[in-house]
Structures are given as C-alpha cells and as structure tokens.
Amino acid sequence: MKFKIIILASLIIGLTFNLKGQEEHLIGANCTSIMVGCKASADGSVITSHTCDGKYRTWVTMEPAADHQPGTMHKVYKGTMHTARPNGMEGVTLAGEIPEVAHTYAYMNTAYPCMNEKQLAMGESTFSGPDTLVNKNGMFLIEELQRIALQRCDKARDAILLIGELIKEYGYGDGGECITIADTKEVWQMEILGEGPEKIGGIWVAQRVPDDEVAVSCNIARIGKIDRKDKDHFLCSDNIETVAKKYGLWDGKGDFVWWKAFPSSYSGKKNFKEREWYIFNELAPSLHLSFEADELPFSIKPDQKVDVQKVMKLFRATYEGCEPFDQTQNLLYPKERKNENGEKVIDTIVCPAANPWMNGTERALYNYLKPGTVTFHRGIAMSWCSYSTIIQCRDWLPDEIGGICWFSLENPGESPRIPIFAGQTKMPTGFDRCGHAGYDENAALWHYRKANKLAQVQWGNTKNILLGNVQHFEEKALEEVPLIEDKAQKLLKDNDKKGVQKLLNQYSADFAGATRQTWNEMEKKFWEFFWTGF
C-alpha cells in the first residue's frame, strides 16, 4: 500500500511539474506575425498578420471615421483587451489624455487594432525583453499606440514616426513589443521597449522588410545591427545605445546588435526558435537553414512567390510530419489490415487520439509511462488562440476593397477564415460578443470552438473532415471575392459608397453565417461519431 502511495505521489508531482511547464511556455510566447513584401507575394499585395494567442477579448467592431472640434481630447486607456462587450469598462483604467486630431479614420477594432479604411494594417508579437526597462507610469500600452496610429495615419512610415513621437512625449508603459506595420507599398517590423523606471519615454527601432523578402516575428526580438544612414530601411529613436549602456545591457564595445542587447527570456541567446526556423524553411528550403545556427537572418527571399493561401497554411502549422518537432510522432499503436493477398499485416501508425494540442496533463501521463515520449514544441496554430488575422494591402484596388483581413476566431489550425474588407462598416452577427466571458451561444467564437475541441479528442479520425471544411471555405472565398470586388468597383464608379458598404457588410455576414452553420453541423456529426465513447 505504501508503495502505491509513493507511486501516486510521484505521478501527481510529475503532472504538477508538467502543468507548470506548460504555463511557462505561454509566458512571452503568445503571438506570431508573418510579413510578405510586395515583390515576394504572388499577386503584388503587401501582407502582415497576427495570431492573438491567449485569453484576449474576441469581440470585434468596425469603428467609424469621425470629425473632432478643436480642443477635443483623446482618452487613452489601459486594460481594453479583456473586456466582455464593446464599450465595456470592467478592468479598464484611464491612463491619460492627448489632443485629438481634426479627423480620424475608420478602423477594425480587434484586441490589438489591425486595419483601417486606408489600407494601413498591423500585426503584433510580444517579446518582453529586460524587466529593468519597464516603466508602468508610461501612458501607452502597445494596443493603444496601434489604435491611434490607425486612426491618424495612412502610411506605414508615418505610423512608425507618430508612435515614436507619442512614446517620447507620453511614455511607453508596456514590456517589449513588436508591431508589424504594412501599407500598400511596404511592410516594417517595429520593436519597442521602455526607457527604464527613472524616465518616462521609450526606445524603439523599425526595420523595413525588403520588398522581395519575407520576415517573421514570434515573441523574439529579431532586429540586429541598426544602420541609421539607411533611412529607406531603418527608423529608430536616438537613445537606444545610451539606455542599453546605462542598464548594463551593452558594454559599448563592438557592433551594437539590438536583439542581443534586449533578448527575450523565451529565446535565450538566439534570435529564433521553432517557429522562425520552420517558417523560413517552408518558404526557402534552398537556404538549408539549420536549427543549430547561432542566428537566423532578419528576412529571407522565398524560393517561390508567396500567395495568401500559403500564409493561411503556415498559420495552421503544428509541425505534424516535421520530425524534430512533431509532438505526436512517438504516440504509435499497431493497426491490423489485410494486404493485397488477403494476409494480415500489422502497421504501426500514429494513434488517432494523439493531437498536436495536448495539454500538460496529457504530456505528463505519456512521459510518465515512457520518459521522452512527448516533448513540447510551441507551434504556430495554438488551441489557446483567441483570433488571428492575415491582412493583404493591394494598391491596384480602391481602399474599400484593397484592404482585406482574412479573419479567424479560435484555433487557426481548425477554424475558417472570413473575409473582412477595409470598407465595411459592421462585423457579422455575433462578432460583437466576447467568447471568453462564459459560454454564450450568441458569441461567434463558440460556434467554432465546440466542433474544434471535439475534433481534437480523436484528431486522427476527425482532421480530414474538419480540414476539408476549412479548405472548402478557403477556396470558396478566393473564388467569390474577386466577383465582390468587381461589383464594388462598379458601385464606386457610380459614387455609390453606401451601396459598397451594404455589399461588403452583407457578403461577410453571409460568408460567416455559412461557416457557423457548417461548424454547428460538424459538432453534431462528431457527437454522433463519439456515441460509444471517446
């Protein structure tokens, strides 16, 4: 009896340790952004993107443009990413006020605001950086800087410079953050830190992704040497090296390398981990980039032009089939079949119950039964994702339809992508309710979550059904969107802007409704499938 108690206690300790380990992987590892230059994309569009991984609000609205009287002040808040409803103020505090401008643009109001009516688009990725640089008294958190830039700017460079001015005057109060900023011509990666607890301000650098290249930001500072003379590819604050030396982050000798001075605790002494390596190798296998390398380049030229479908596919990546990182590769079982001669043959295959989104308890159990069975590798598509965006900026189309956000709720490895246009004035039904405020049939997120989570229980048996539906809607949108764009352009020629808004609003609403119906039907199908048990 005593022996059994000892074994049980050991198992509980092991489970607890692994659960803690899982939570540690969540810290500073919560978003992915892929950027594609206009000459690297298949159609000439500029692309930025974002997986909002974590328990952030999932309600989304289209905020209108507005005119403001002289003397109007703009309120800056903290805590807006976790509210349950639009205009909800639970947990929100007023950080301060700044002068408002005469006119602000309409924008898509996600937890991290992402696109405006002028085809300015943003992604985000937290890299944390040294705690010694954080100053909580700074007015701005990253999401509020994004909001103001989208309200006031129509070009990526202007957005970067405005954010830099706001940081200098009012202070940056967040940890290390990267925002990826795109317009119809170019895309930039901007990395921001505080200036330390003694001063309201901040430090920042922005590097342009070459037009024929692709870059990634995955919770790690990625910018290296800063060339201030190259104004076409670098913009930055003038206090970077001074702050780094003041806090002992750089000794002043040799080249100053941004990512080495301000590393993420998640990455250690490198500027990449699994996601950066995987994405670059998927896009440019000819480079033979090694995971054992000390450093990966800031950006790479893809072997082939990258279309938006490729970015969607990368956002679904869980490393299944990628031997170094596949968490399911050791979860094997024997399956009997008959060969062409009618003889019984035993195949060893991945168990249908294995899935790439196992939680800490599952991993702990497998590793208790056989140490080393499952090693956690942080994938791109995560089950704790709130929403994700892939945004194309297209200069050959009017702004109303040139900016298109391929929006997905819940796990990007399982959910469909819904086209949202820059010229829309409202989101589809149910998108104005946060799915994290409790179970809510009226919140759009739950229409996807239920089928997605059920699918994970027997992923080997369900994934072809689920991914088949994802592929169906992906192809449906890519076939239909050009037709909608043609209709919108005809309406614009007649100066019928209201007609354009109605067309775009209705198309996204109908498309979202079709996906919700399919995911609801799939949920029922899975319950029938599992009637004898999981």
Side-chain angles (χ1 to χ4, degrees):
M1 183 67 179
K2 185 181 292 185
F3 177 74
K4 289 182 179 179
I5 292 173
I6 292 172
I7 292 294
L8 180 60
S10 298
L11 178 58
I12 291 171
I13 291 170
L15 289 171
T16 303
F17 176 80
N18 277 275
L19 282 169
K20 181 181 179 183
Q22 182 194 27
E23 293 305 315
E24 289 172 348
H25 281 295
L26 297 178
I27 299 171
N30 286 341
C31 297
T32 300
S33 181
I34 300 172
M35 296 148 277
V36 183
C38 60
K39 294 180 180 178
S41 69
D43 63 357
S45 61
V46 180
I47 299 174
T48 189
S49 54
H50 176 213
T51 63
C52 187
D53 299 333
K55 195 175 181 179
Y56 298 94
R57 67 165 169 88
T58 63
W59 63 260
V60 187
T61 56
M62 302 299 284
E63 297 296 328
D67 294 314
H68 307 279
Q69 294 296 320
T72 302
M73 300 298 286
H74 176 95
K75 289 181 169 57
V76 178
Y77 294 102
K78 292 182 179 180
T80 59
M81 292 192 299
H82 301 284
T83 52
R85 300 284 185 275
N87 302 318
M89 295 299 288
E90 64 276 14
V92 177
T93 58
L94 179 65
E97 296 183 344
I98 64 172
E100 188 58 276
V101 293
H103 180 78
T104 51
Y105 297 127
Y107 69 98
M108 185 172 173
N109 184 18
T110 41
Y112 292 91
C114 65
M115 177 177 68
N116 74 9
E117 63 176 305
K118 296 295 183 178
Q119 299 197 62
L120 182 67
M122 295 186 182
E124 180 275 346
S125 180
T126 302
F127 68 89
S128 298
D131 292 340
T132 53
L133 297 182
V134 176
N135 188 331
K136 294 294 185 182
N137 294 320
M139 183 184 293
F140 282 101
L141 300 182
I142 195 67
E143 64 273 14
E144 294 305 304
L145 288 170
Q146 291 180 245
R147 186 185 320 282
I148 290 178
L150 289 170
Q151 287 179 316
R152 301 184 181 192
C153 302
D154 59 2
K155 296 290 184 290
R157 289 171 186 263
D158 293 341
I160 292 165
L161 294 174
L162 173 61
I163 288 170
E165 292 168 4
L166 293 172
I167 288 170
K168 184 175 182 179
E169 183 169 355
Y170 299 100
Y172 179 69
D174 221 333
E177 287 280 358
C178 167
I179 46 176
T180 60
I181 310 174
D183 58 30
T184 60
K185 302 294 185 183
E186 56 191 26
V187 59
W188 292 69
Q189 183 163 327
M190 182 179 190
E191 297 180 349
I192 308 169
L193 288 153
E195 199 169 338
E198 299 176 5
K199 188 171 182 180
I200 297 295
I203 58 175
W204 60 272
V205 60
Q207 183 171 353
R208 179 182 173 183
V209 180
D211 291 345
D212 60 349
E213 296 193 3
V214 177
V216 293
S217 177
C218 307
N219 308 116
I220 295 173
R222 296 271 301 131
I223 296 174
K225 295 179 185 178
I226 302 169
D227 185 355
R228 285 184 169 85
K229 294 180 181 179
D230 184 2
K231 299 293 186 183
D232 194 42
H233 290 90
F234 288 93
L235 297 169
C236 62
S237 60
D238 58 9
N239 57 345
I240 295 170
E241 293 87 349
T242 302
V243 172
K245 284 194 287 187
K246 178 179 179 180
Y247 289 95
L249 301 169
W250 180 53
D251 61 9
K253 300 175 183 178
D255 292 327
F256 177 83
V257 178
W258 171 274
W259 71 260
K260 288 184 178 180
F262 311 116
S264 164
S265 58
Y266 167 67
S267 63
K269 296 182 179 180
K270 293 187 176 186
N271 72 339
F272 73 97
K273 285 195 75 174
E274 296 98 330
R275 284 174 284 166
E276 294 87 353
W277 178 87
Y278 179 86
I279 292 168
F280 278 174
N281 273 284
E282 283 289 298
L283 296 177
S286 64
L287 295 178
H288 302 292
L289 297 173
S290 171
F291 190 69
E292 303 306 318
D294 294 328
E295 180 179 359
L296 287 187
F298 170 73
S299 58
I300 54 100
K301 187 173 182 177
D303 290 350
Q304 297 179 330
K305 295 291 182 75
V306 179
D307 60 21
V308 72
Q309 284 180 286
K310 182 63 176 180
V311 181
M312 292 176 185
K313 183 178 179 181
L314 287 170
F315 265 29
R316 291 195 292 270
T318 59
Y319 310 141
E320 288 182 86
C322 181
E323 190 171 322
F325 307 134
D326 188 345
Q327 296 183 77
T328 68
Q329 60 188 321
N330 296 324
L331 297 175
L332 308 174
Y333 87 120
K335 185 176 182 180
E336 185 180 288
R337 65 176 174 85
K338 289 184 179 181
N339 64 16
E340 57 188 13
N341 298 321
E343 300 168 333
K344 289 184 179 180
V345 178
I346 302 296
D347 292 329
T348 302
I349 65 171
V350 173
C351 177
N355 78 80
W357 301 292
M358 290 176 282
N359 61 35
T361 303
E362 291 174 280
R363 294 197 304 272
L365 176 60
Y366 289 130
N367 289 329
Y368 174 76
L369 295 173
K370 184 179 179 181
T373 300
V374 180
T375 301
F376 178 83
H377 290 286
R378 203 288 190 195
I380 299 168
M382 300 308 297
S383 61
W384 61 72
C385 182
S386 290
Y387 68 88
S388 60
T389 59
I390 298 171
I391 304 175
Q392 291 179 276
C393 305
R394 302 173 292 176
D395 66 356
W396 64 92
L397 290 170
D399 289 336
E400 288 88 345
I401 51 176
I404 184 169
C405 174
W406 299 94
F407 185 79
S408 175
L409 283 166
E410 234 265 337
N411 187 340
E414 298 180 288
S415 292
R417 294 208 166 270
I418 298 156
I420 306 295
F421 295 91
Q424 282 184 225
T425 57
K426 64 180 181 179
M427 292 292 292
T429 301
F431 283 73
D432 60 347
R433 302 174 74 90
C434 181
H436 291 147
Y439 181 80
D440 184 354
E441 285 280 358
N442 295 314
L445 176 124
W446 282 98
H447 289 266
Y448 306 107
R449 172 169 286 170
K450 291 184 287 184
N452 288 352
K453 299 309 181 192
L454 275 174
Q456 292 175 24
V457 177
Q458 286 278 329
W459 184 239
N461 291 325
T462 61
K463 67 179 179 181
N464 288 339
I465 299 171
L466 188 144
L467 294 178
N469 283 323
V470 170
Q471 188 69 28
H472 165 73
F473 281 105
E474 189 174 296
E475 293 172 356
K476 173 182 169 66
L478 291 171
E479 288 177 3
E480 293 175 349
V481 162
L483 303 176
I484 297 299
E485 292 167 351
D486 287 344
K487 289 182 180 180
Q489 290 194 79
K490 290 175 182 176
L491 291 169
L492 287 170
K493 285 182 181 178
D494 294 333
N495 201 32
D496 186 1
K497 292 188 176 182
K498 291 290 185 183
V500 172
Q501 292 170 355
K502 182 179 179 181
L503 171 71
L504 301 179
N505 290 343
Q506 191 62 57
Y507 177 70
S508 287
D510 290 346
F511 193 95
T515 65
R516 287 200 304 268
Q517 181 177 347
T518 297
W519 258 248
N520 290 341
E521 291 171 354
M522 191 161 43
E523 175 201 351
K524 297 171 185 175
K525 184 181 184 73
F526 290 157
W527 279 121
E528 293 171 358
F529 186 79
F530 295 133
W531 76 275
T532 59
F534 296 113

